Amino acid sequence: MVKIGIMGLTGCSGCQCEILNCEEAIYRLIEKVEISYFPLAQDNNSFGEFEILFVEGSVTTEEDERKVKEGRERAKFLVAVGSCACYGGVQSQRNDEASLEEMLLAVYGRKELPVKVQKPRAVSEVVKVDYELPGCPLDKRQFVYAVASILNGVKPFFPKIPVCHECKLSETECLTLKGIPCQGPVTFAGCGAPCTASGVGCQGCRGNCDFPNFEEMVEILKKNGLSTGDAVKFLKVFRGYQSKEIKLSEGVVENEKGA
Amino acid sequence: MKRELNINHLTRVEGHGAVNIVIENEMLKEIKLRFTEGPRFFEFITRERLYSEIPKIVSRICGICYVSHRLASSLAVEDAFGVKVTPEIELLRKLLVVGEYLESHALHLYFLALPDYMGYPSAIAMAKDYPNIVRRGFFIKEVGNRIMKLIGGKTVHGENILPGGFKSVPSVDDLKKVQEDLHRVLPEIKATISLFDSLDYPEFNDPHELQMCVEADDPLSFGDKVTLSDGTVFTKQEYELFVEEKVSDYSTAKCSTIKEKPFLIGPLARVNHYADRLLEGTKKQLFLLKNSFPSSNSLHANLARAIEILEFALRGIEITEVLINASPFKGEVPVAPKKGTGFGVKEAPRGTLYHRYSFDDTGRCVSANIITPTAQLQAVIERDLKSLVERSKEASDEELKKRAEMLIRAYDP
């Protein structure tokens, strides 16, 4: 029987919970494959060969790095699930602002911990990743689609169109036009835009869409009440290493305060 | 003779953990519960962020109890800025908590704990022989998920939970659906209580010297004080002064004590404390049980979870009734930042949760402190493990490991 693994690195386990929320899909899946590794949900884990290995969380410790490298060797397809695995996640949002030592001192009052710590990284910064299912958490429909496609030998494909596209489809009123800070124009769609439907601007948890225009996005966010510095921080929350793409023209003061 | 037991990777718990036990000449030499999770620096990454970003960032501490993190941080922001929400917003928050507990407790009971008692490696494996039991777990979880999705916007990490309330609120039709769902889930919850009452809990009665939970009229309310079982009541402002956090030299979770003692938090501490304030409907079920509360058997945390979901579902039905009558109501009150410090305490499914933030006059975070249930549980779990090992010296390594894992899982760290 084909084997599947679900591995958790440093993260909140929210994506693994979302996978457990796929009730009917799990029932059908276990008829066809064996979930041979899933420490959050089972005792009898074997770290053998995997047809697909799903990885949640960012690489933040030496142990995370060892585990994911070993997993890569044993997996035919490695799929990063959630924004931590795909981009580095919330824990990496200040990677470019502070040293690891500074973060450790601020939180633990010491420079070393009982585990060997690294700056949080996306899985693709450590090993080759075949597919990415971003989101905080991942969207369970995309998970089911990805599993079904891979097991049937089809490449899952997720077009990197912006979230705005989904607001149009669901006839959700444009929040940007209403003056609410929203990252829809620069964010990778696929979630069905549930946040904007409840009146909250897109928070960008699925990372960059193709060709995001951050310079213009910052200008729009400024019109909607944020300072340049706050707009950049807002964009950085989930984007991890992708936030390197947030480039502003010269002359824009990054840390200007006051909204 | 030296005997060493190592569980290098605890399974069916949310975090990553390991246990090392050393017994020498029949005497327990060492017990270490190590959380090996990588640090995520929440108290650092919230700095310089606007208050409106805080609940979103810190909700990512936990994907199972994110509602509690979002609410505790929102309460802290509101406390800092002197914001008072309306009774309807407060009720809607409580209904959201009903959803969170149904989901989190059902996940714990059916997917993390039950396989131990039924002799299976997982609920997925159990599903072949007990499909309906597993489906019941899925159903209770699903009802919780629907409530969280409706009010929060998403099942996990809903962004509609903000300081000041909610950007949008459910319609009367939606609230009626929640009420129907809660009515439908009641028999399943009652069956869950019977099931968890009938399990064979290993004898484990080592009274907890100290127990702690949020002090309020009922277990679903948000309070500003915390009660200790020795009679001490302290305010949220005093929390950090009582709950002493130490950085551990073998675990990435900090280790907390009160008055230098480990203390019990979570479902068992809550049911022990609130037993006489439960609704009549819950009390009636309690009366039918063969086990009773207050209990000092840490494994009864599982039964306490089942009782809590009944209590919360019943309260959820009452809340939806009030909200239906109050509809339409406004979901949001204005929030204007000012310089100051705010505190938020809340009962998360695993136990008491504490958030504290200081802001400058533009509402940007200057400093933060978060004390999670896992950090507070480290000391009490170690205390319990010690007592377990001392009682089970005759047990084989395999058996002892199994009992230790069951005990740790009961805490759901």
Side-chain angles (χ1 to χ4, degrees), chain A residues 198-219:
Chain A
S198 35
V200 182
C202 169
Q203 305 293 307
C205 75
R206 294 175 48 85
N208 297 352
C209 60
D210 277 337
F211 317 111
N213 185 343
F214 284 115
E215 196 153 340
E216 189 57 29
M217 187 73 251
V218 169
E219 287 310 308

PDB file of all heavy atoms in Angstrom, chain A residues 198-219:
ATOM      1  N   SER A 198     -16.103  38.446   5.730  1.00  0.00           N
ATOM      2  CA  SER A 198     -16.590  38.902   7.039  1.00  0.00           C
ATOM      3  C   SER A 198     -16.245  40.375   7.296  1.00  0.00           C
ATOM      4  O   SER A 198     -16.451  40.856   8.399  1.00  0.00           O
ATOM      5  CB  SER A 198     -16.132  37.990   8.184  1.00  0.00           C
ATOM      6  OG  SER A 198     -14.870  37.459   7.981  1.00  0.00           O
ATOM      7  N   GLY A 199     -15.709  41.050   6.288  1.00  0.00           N
ATOM      8  CA  GLY A 199     -15.478  42.483   6.429  1.00  0.00           C
ATOM      9  C   GLY A 199     -14.083  42.834   6.931  1.00  0.00           C
ATOM     10  O   GLY A 199     -13.778  43.990   7.204  1.00  0.00           O
ATOM     11  N   VAL A 200     -13.220  41.816   7.060  1.00  0.00           N
ATOM     12  CA  VAL A 200     -11.850  42.050   7.503  1.00  0.00           C
ATOM     13  C   VAL A 200     -10.964  42.024   6.259  1.00  0.00           C
ATOM     14  O   VAL A 200     -11.092  41.124   5.432  1.00  0.00           O
ATOM     15  CB  VAL A 200     -11.404  40.939   8.481  1.00  0.00           C
ATOM     16  CG1 VAL A 200      -9.989  41.195   8.983  1.00  0.00           C
ATOM     17  CG2 VAL A 200     -12.375  40.821   9.641  1.00  0.00           C
ATOM     18  N   GLY A 201     -10.065  42.987   6.140  1.00  0.00           N
ATOM     19  CA  GLY A 201      -9.184  43.002   4.977  1.00  0.00           C
ATOM     20  C   GLY A 201      -8.332  41.743   4.911  1.00  0.00           C
ATOM     21  O   GLY A 201      -8.035  41.132   5.930  1.00  0.00           O
ATOM     22  N   CYS A 202      -7.960  41.348   3.671  1.00  0.00           N
ATOM     23  CA  CYS A 202      -7.068  40.193   3.511  1.00  0.00           C
ATOM     24  C   CYS A 202      -5.769  40.478   4.252  1.00  0.00           C
ATOM     25  O   CYS A 202      -5.198  41.563   4.145  1.00  0.00           O
ATOM     26  CB  CYS A 202      -6.789  39.971   2.020  1.00  0.00           C
ATOM     27  SG  CYS A 202      -5.464  38.800   1.708  1.00  0.00           S
ATOM     28  N   GLN A 203      -5.314  39.478   5.026  1.00  0.00           N
ATOM     29  CA  GLN A 203      -4.107  39.651   5.842  1.00  0.00           C
ATOM     30  C   GLN A 203      -2.863  39.100   5.135  1.00  0.00           C
ATOM     31  O   GLN A 203      -1.776  39.121   5.695  1.00  0.00           O
ATOM     32  CB  GLN A 203      -4.290  38.968   7.200  1.00  0.00           C
ATOM     33  CG  GLN A 203      -5.531  39.415   7.971  1.00  0.00           C
ATOM     34  CD  GLN A 203      -5.443  40.867   8.431  1.00  0.00           C
ATOM     35  OE1 GLN A 203      -4.480  41.281   9.067  1.00  0.00           O
ATOM     36  NE2 GLN A 203      -6.456  41.663   8.094  1.00  0.00           N
ATOM     37  N   GLY A 204      -3.045  38.554   3.948  1.00  0.00           N
ATOM     38  CA  GLY A 204      -1.887  38.105   3.169  1.00  0.00           C
ATOM     39  C   GLY A 204      -1.295  36.786   3.610  1.00  0.00           C
ATOM     40  O   GLY A 204      -0.132  36.511   3.320  1.00  0.00           O
ATOM     41  N   CYS A 205      -2.089  35.923   4.265  1.00  0.00           N
ATOM     42  CA  CYS A 205      -1.496  34.710   4.845  1.00  0.00           C
ATOM     43  C   CYS A 205      -1.046  33.713   3.783  1.00  0.00           C
ATOM     44  O   CYS A 205      -0.249  32.838   4.068  1.00  0.00           O
ATOM     45  CB  CYS A 205      -2.443  34.066   5.849  1.00  0.00           C
ATOM     46  SG  CYS A 205      -3.841  33.184   5.140  1.00  0.00           S
ATOM     47  N   ARG A 206      -1.535  33.838   2.539  1.00  0.00           N
ATOM     48  CA  ARG A 206      -1.137  32.877   1.511  1.00  0.00           C
ATOM     49  C   ARG A 206       0.057  33.342   0.682  1.00  0.00           C
ATOM     50  O   ARG A 206       0.442  32.701  -0.275  1.00  0.00           O
ATOM     51  CB  ARG A 206      -2.337  32.525   0.619  1.00  0.00           C
ATOM     52  CG  ARG A 206      -3.429  31.761   1.394  1.00  0.00           C
ATOM     53  CD  ARG A 206      -4.663  31.514   0.556  1.00  0.00           C
ATOM     54  NE  ARG A 206      -4.342  30.981  -0.748  1.00  0.00           N
ATOM     55  CZ  ARG A 206      -4.150  29.694  -1.025  1.00  0.00           C
ATOM     56  NH1 ARG A 206      -4.274  28.804  -0.066  1.00  0.00           N
ATOM     57  NH2 ARG A 206      -3.859  29.312  -2.236  1.00  0.00           N
ATOM     58  N   GLY A 207       0.637  34.470   1.065  1.00  0.00           N
ATOM     59  CA  GLY A 207       1.859  34.909   0.390  1.00  0.00           C
ATOM     60  C   GLY A 207       1.584  35.587  -0.940  1.00  0.00           C
ATOM     61  O   GLY A 207       0.446  35.938  -1.276  1.00  0.00           O
ATOM     62  N   ASN A 208       2.652  35.746  -1.738  1.00  0.00           N
ATOM     63  CA  ASN A 208       2.578  36.571  -2.949  1.00  0.00           C
ATOM     64  C   ASN A 208       1.834  35.904  -4.103  1.00  0.00           C
ATOM     65  O   ASN A 208       2.044  34.732  -4.397  1.00  0.00           O
ATOM     66  CB  ASN A 208       3.989  36.887  -3.446  1.00  0.00           C
ATOM     67  CG  ASN A 208       4.775  37.719  -2.441  1.00  0.00           C
ATOM     68  OD1 ASN A 208       4.214  38.187  -1.441  1.00  0.00           O
ATOM     69  ND2 ASN A 208       6.058  37.894  -2.684  1.00  0.00           N
ATOM     70  N   CYS A 209       1.012  36.722  -4.788  1.00  0.00           N
ATOM     71  CA  CYS A 209       0.478  36.275  -6.078  1.00  0.00           C
ATOM     72  C   CYS A 209       1.570  36.557  -7.112  1.00  0.00           C
ATOM     73  O   CYS A 209       2.629  37.099  -6.777  1.00  0.00           O
ATOM     74  CB  CYS A 209      -0.803  37.043  -6.418  1.00  0.00           C
ATOM     75  SG  CYS A 209      -0.575  38.818  -6.551  1.00  0.00           S
ATOM     76  N   ASP A 210       1.344  36.197  -8.347  1.00  0.00           N
ATOM     77  CA  ASP A 210       2.329  36.499  -9.387  1.00  0.00           C
ATOM     78  C   ASP A 210       2.408  38.013  -9.599  1.00  0.00           C
ATOM     79  O   ASP A 210       1.376  38.686  -9.620  1.00  0.00           O
ATOM     80  CB  ASP A 210       1.927  35.826 -10.710  1.00  0.00           C
ATOM     81  CG  ASP A 210       2.381  34.375 -10.743  1.00  0.00           C
ATOM     82  OD1 ASP A 210       3.339  34.032 -10.008  1.00  0.00           O
ATOM     83  OD2 ASP A 210       1.766  33.585 -11.496  1.00  0.00           O
ATOM     84  N   PHE A 211       3.589  38.521  -9.777  1.00  0.00           N
ATOM     85  CA  PHE A 211       3.843  39.937 -10.069  1.00  0.00           C
ATOM     86  C   PHE A 211       3.148  40.909  -9.107  1.00  0.00           C
ATOM     87  O   PHE A 211       2.390  41.777  -9.537  1.00  0.00           O
ATOM     88  CB  PHE A 211       3.417  40.275 -11.519  1.00  0.00           C
ATOM     89  CG  PHE A 211       3.829  39.242 -12.515  1.00  0.00           C
ATOM     90  CD1 PHE A 211       2.886  38.428 -13.153  1.00  0.00           C
ATOM     91  CD2 PHE A 211       5.183  39.043 -12.787  1.00  0.00           C
ATOM     92  CE1 PHE A 211       3.283  37.450 -14.052  1.00  0.00           C
ATOM     93  CE2 PHE A 211       5.574  38.073 -13.691  1.00  0.00           C
ATOM     94  CZ  PHE A 211       4.627  37.269 -14.320  1.00  0.00           C
ATOM     95  N   PRO A 212       3.360  40.755  -7.805  1.00  0.00           N
ATOM     96  CA  PRO A 212       2.701  41.692  -6.868  1.00  0.00           C
ATOM     97  C   PRO A 212       3.329  43.080  -6.985  1.00  0.00           C
ATOM     98  O   PRO A 212       4.548  43.202  -7.095  1.00  0.00           O
ATOM     99  CB  PRO A 212       3.018  41.080  -5.503  1.00  0.00           C
ATOM    100  CG  PRO A 212       4.297  40.322  -5.702  1.00  0.00           C
ATOM    101  CD  PRO A 212       4.267  39.833  -7.125  1.00  0.00           C
ATOM    102  N   ASN A 213       2.493  44.102  -6.994  1.00  0.00           N
ATOM    103  CA  ASN A 213       3.013  45.460  -7.066  1.00  0.00           C
ATOM    104  C   ASN A 213       3.000  46.063  -5.651  1.00  0.00           C
ATOM    105  O   ASN A 213       2.040  46.706  -5.239  1.00  0.00           O
ATOM    106  CB  ASN A 213       2.149  46.296  -8.022  1.00  0.00           C
ATOM    107  CG  ASN A 213       2.705  47.693  -8.227  1.00  0.00           C
ATOM    108  OD1 ASN A 213       3.542  48.164  -7.444  1.00  0.00           O
ATOM    109  ND2 ASN A 213       2.239  48.366  -9.268  1.00  0.00           N
ATOM    110  N   PHE A 214       4.079  45.796  -4.913  1.00  0.00           N
ATOM    111  CA  PHE A 214       4.106  46.226  -3.510  1.00  0.00           C
ATOM    112  C   PHE A 214       4.178  47.735  -3.360  1.00  0.00           C
ATOM    113  O   PHE A 214       3.635  48.301  -2.423  1.00  0.00           O
ATOM    114  CB  PHE A 214       5.269  45.559  -2.772  1.00  0.00           C
ATOM    115  CG  PHE A 214       5.002  44.120  -2.452  1.00  0.00           C
ATOM    116  CD1 PHE A 214       5.749  43.107  -3.030  1.00  0.00           C
ATOM    117  CD2 PHE A 214       3.984  43.777  -1.573  1.00  0.00           C
ATOM    118  CE1 PHE A 214       5.482  41.776  -2.741  1.00  0.00           C
ATOM    119  CE2 PHE A 214       3.712  42.448  -1.267  1.00  0.00           C
ATOM    120  CZ  PHE A 214       4.467  41.447  -1.864  1.00  0.00           C
ATOM    121  N   GLU A 215       4.875  48.361  -4.316  1.00  0.00           N
ATOM    122  CA  GLU A 215       5.008  49.816  -4.199  1.00  0.00           C
ATOM    123  C   GLU A 215       3.629  50.480  -4.220  1.00  0.00           C
ATOM    124  O   GLU A 215       3.303  51.315  -3.384  1.00  0.00           O
ATOM    125  CB  GLU A 215       5.876  50.334  -5.344  1.00  0.00           C
ATOM    126  CG  GLU A 215       6.356  51.729  -5.057  1.00  0.00           C
ATOM    127  CD  GLU A 215       7.679  52.014  -5.771  1.00  0.00           C
ATOM    128  OE1 GLU A 215       8.402  51.080  -6.169  1.00  0.00           O
ATOM    129  OE2 GLU A 215       7.955  53.189  -5.931  1.00  0.00           O
ATOM    130  N   GLU A 216       2.806  50.040  -5.157  1.00  0.00           N
ATOM    131  CA  GLU A 216       1.458  50.585  -5.267  1.00  0.00           C
ATOM    132  C   GLU A 216       0.606  50.153  -4.054  1.00  0.00           C
ATOM    133  O   GLU A 216      -0.197  50.924  -3.535  1.00  0.00           O
ATOM    134  CB  GLU A 216       0.824  50.092  -6.588  1.00  0.00           C
ATOM    135  CG  GLU A 216      -0.491  50.740  -6.951  1.00  0.00           C
ATOM    136  CD  GLU A 216      -0.414  52.272  -7.050  1.00  0.00           C
ATOM    137  OE1 GLU A 216       0.658  52.796  -7.378  1.00  0.00           O
ATOM    138  OE2 GLU A 216      -1.438  52.930  -6.767  1.00  0.00           O
ATOM    139  N   MET A 217       0.814  48.900  -3.620  1.00  0.00           N
ATOM    140  CA  MET A 217       0.054  48.395  -2.459  1.00  0.00           C
ATOM    141  C   MET A 217       0.312  49.268  -1.238  1.00  0.00           C
ATOM    142  O   MET A 217      -0.620  49.623  -0.504  1.00  0.00           O
ATOM    143  CB  MET A 217       0.480  46.937  -2.181  1.00  0.00           C
ATOM    144  CG  MET A 217      -0.341  46.227  -1.102  1.00  0.00           C
ATOM    145  SD  MET A 217      -2.013  45.792  -1.633  1.00  0.00           S
ATOM    146  CE  MET A 217      -3.014  46.895  -0.711  1.00  0.00           C
ATOM    147  N   VAL A 218       1.590  49.622  -1.020  1.00  0.00           N
ATOM    148  CA  VAL A 218       1.915  50.467   0.132  1.00  0.00           C
ATOM    149  C   VAL A 218       1.222  51.825   0.008  1.00  0.00           C
ATOM    150  O   VAL A 218       0.674  52.349   0.984  1.00  0.00           O
ATOM    151  CB  VAL A 218       3.452  50.611   0.285  1.00  0.00           C
ATOM    152  CG1 VAL A 218       3.794  51.693   1.310  1.00  0.00           C
ATOM    153  CG2 VAL A 218       4.069  49.279   0.696  1.00  0.00           C
ATOM    154  N   GLU A 219       1.203  52.366  -1.206  1.00  0.00           N
ATOM    155  CA  GLU A 219       0.521  53.659  -1.413  1.00  0.00           C
ATOM    156  C   GLU A 219      -0.960  53.562  -1.057  1.00  0.00           C
ATOM    157  O   GLU A 219      -1.520  54.442  -0.415  1.00  0.00           O
ATOM    158  CB  GLU A 219       0.676  54.122  -2.883  1.00  0.00           C
ATOM    159  CG  GLU A 219       2.073  54.610  -3.237  1.00  0.00           C
ATOM    160  CD  GLU A 219       2.622  55.641  -2.244  1.00  0.00           C
ATOM    161  OE1 GLU A 219       1.914  56.639  -1.965  1.00  0.00           O
ATOM    162  OE2 GLU A 219       3.744  55.437  -1.730  1.00  0.00           O
TER     163      GLU A 219
END
